[in-house]
Amino acid sequence: MRYLPSGKVQVAVLLICVCALYAQALRFNFVHFDEDELIIDRQSFLQSIENVPKAFTTDTAYPFGRSVFYRPVQTLSFMVDAHIAGERPLWYHGMNIALHAMGALLVLAVLRALSFGPWAALGGALAFAAHPALVPAVAWVPGRNDILAAIPLLASFWFFIRYTHTQKRWYLFAHALFWIIALGAKEYAVVLPLVAYAYVVLVRRWHWRTAFTLSEGIVWVGGWILYAIARTLALAHVQTLSFGEAILSVLRSGGAFLEYITKAVVPVRLALMPTGDPTNMIIGGVLALGALITIIVFRKKTQLAQFGFVWFVLFLLPSLVTNEPTARQVFFENRLYMPMVGIMIAALSLVRLLPRKPLMIARGALVVVAVFFAFHTVQRLPAFKDSETYWTLAAAQSPGLARAQDGLGTEFFRKRNVGQALFLHQRALALHPEAKRVWNNIGSVYLFMHNIPAAQDAFAKEIERNPGFPPAYHNLAITLLFQGKEAGAEQLWRQALAINPWYSFAHQGLALLTAQTGRIDEAREHILFLERAGVALLPELIPIRDALFPSPTLSPAPTL
């Protein structure tokens, strides 16, 4: 009698494999790519329980910057981490590994719900867990947003499958609840209703006109409206792409789409900051054509494979939306996390079509593939061990990408190697003369060198190229303070607040300046904002705060 692994055995095998593969990541540090903006600089905000409601009403960079992303679930996860561990990276990496293990278990559950056998489902889940293209989602702390979206999405889809089989309303309610959670994690969750519709048409083979009921329509349309309202209110001060601009962005990213296909199926040309690999695009085109021919030839036997391909396309397309210019576009591999499940569904369903003897050979090949994936994953992981390793490799892999050269320059500046930092920032400008934030980084180097005129000129050039970037105004204000031009600095801070009313560095500067010039009422307003936003005050502001608010309980409510 052939042995079939029990559910407990499958869970144990998955957990052991995930922990064994990613255990070394527990020793990793931050790579300082988005961690500063999302975690390190926001510690005082993240550690305050009072700020939990703000996660649902602000963008991901509040209160230090401005972002086009509305992801309250990500912010809440960082709040939990910060409350428990502060800035210690061990906990953050451990949380990522735990979330990835949960994601792999849910992939197993979905594959079983799609009628794959125990061995096939376990093999698919193991291949998913070990896939080297998903390493950035686990080893890079901010990459967790893809896992945070995938977990509720997979749970929601599992409940939807159960609902279609039983028609029990509580399954539909659970489906809606987890989908709403996923919408707060990442934008591509909006396509889940389309995936669910494809499931009932292709897999359950319901007629396309009667594939969903009024109840499901109300749930899906209501979820879309609720998400649109919440996102619009939270990003009211941010310029986002219109629907038409988003569609054009996706159309311009056709090469990246083909590249993602290659990385999902043949993950051998991976990069930290992929910018376009012609070889990967060609391979992706061949793979897409092969899949299309297979579906056409065996269209009556490949409904599940067709559904897997639809899953891959629908969850990937939103990730191709970008407002970055072509020279700065980077299509990160962690975005494959949720689409990858579709590849697993399609691959397993196609293997199942083989006759018995070739089927045994295919199963053996799948074992070899899984081992290769695991080996490649273990090899890739050290790239994320610290910022120096990450940025050195990113710049080497993408020598023509200004962002990679600029990031390596910032890493050298962090280590106070100002000569090399300045050289790399200038190389980034040579690659992309209109690159945003590079002149600001050059100005920071000059400011550290006490070359105030050069710093002032660099910050002014950043404002000219990137007028919606508050840090450039703040840094230029600092250079004016060095020259005793307080009025000019004050004007720049007010300009920064006009761009982003939540920009805390401008509030810090104005609080100190207005207090020093006797404008106590305005100083009080700025300090109140900083206190209520959970921002740590400058040491110079603490005695001013204590003098203005001797009793914290008497502080009036904020008006944010």
Side-chain angles (χ1 to χ4, degrees), residues 49-70:
I49 297 177
E50 296 178 357
N51 290 324
V52 169
K54 292 188 179 71
F56 297 93
T57 59
T58 59
D59 60 58
T60 56
Y62 176 87
F64 289 97
R66 173 179 292 186
S67 170
V68 297
F69 299 119
Y70 175 65

Side-chain angles (χ1 to χ4, degrees), residues 22 96 100 104 107 124-140 143-144 146-147 263-264 267 270 332-341 344 373 377 380-381 384:
Y22 284 96
N96 273 28
H100 181 49
V107 170
L126 284 171
F128 174 86
H131 202 291
L134 304 185
V135 167
V138 188
W140 177 45
R144 79 164 57 164
D146 288 278
I147 310 178
K263 292 180 177 183
L270 305 175
F332 296 101
E333 290 151 4
N334 52 286
R335 298 173 185 173
L336 275 171
Y337 199 88
M338 192 62 185
M340 190 68 71
V341 182
M344 299 302 160
F373 281 0
T377 290
R380 285 202 80 195
L381 273 170
F384 295 86

Side-chain angles (χ1 to χ4, degrees), residues 102-257:
M102 190 181 301
L105 291 175
L106 285 166
V107 170
L108 173 67
V110 167
L111 293 176
R112 292 292 286 132
L114 290 172
S115 301
F116 288 108
W119 283 114
L122 179 59
L126 284 171
F128 174 86
H131 202 291
L134 304 185
V135 167
V138 188
W140 177 45
V141 173
R144 79 164 57 164
N145 57 11
D146 288 278
I147 310 178
L148 289 171
I151 288 173
L153 280 173
L154 291 166
S156 178
F157 183 68
W158 186 90
F159 280 112
F160 182 78
I161 293 175
R162 297 300 304 153
Y163 170 71
T164 62
H165 284 278
T166 65
Q167 294 300 307
K168 292 182 179 179
R169 291 294 177 87
W170 83 269
Y171 282 126
L172 181 61
F173 173 79
H175 159 72
L177 176 62
F178 280 102
W179 178 47
I180 293 296
I181 294 172
L183 286 170
K186 196 161 185 179
E187 296 73 21
Y188 61 49
V190 297
V191 306
L192 181 62
L194 302 180
V195 174
Y197 180 75
Y199 167 74
V200 296
V201 172
L202 293 172
V203 181
R204 301 301 308 279
R205 304 187 187 184
W206 295 357
H207 194 278
W208 66 272
R209 290 182 178 177
T210 58
F212 65 90
T213 64
L214 179 62
S215 298
E216 294 145 34
I218 291 174
V219 165
W220 293 340
V221 174
W224 279 329
I225 293 174
L226 180 65
Y227 172 69
I229 292 173
R231 187 174 186 274
T232 300
L233 292 175
L235 303 182
H237 300 290
V238 181
Q239 184 178 358
T240 57
L241 294 178
S242 66
F243 181 76
E245 290 171 332
I247 295 297
L248 289 175
S249 176
V250 171
L251 293 176
R252 288 194 298 266
S253 303
F257 178 79

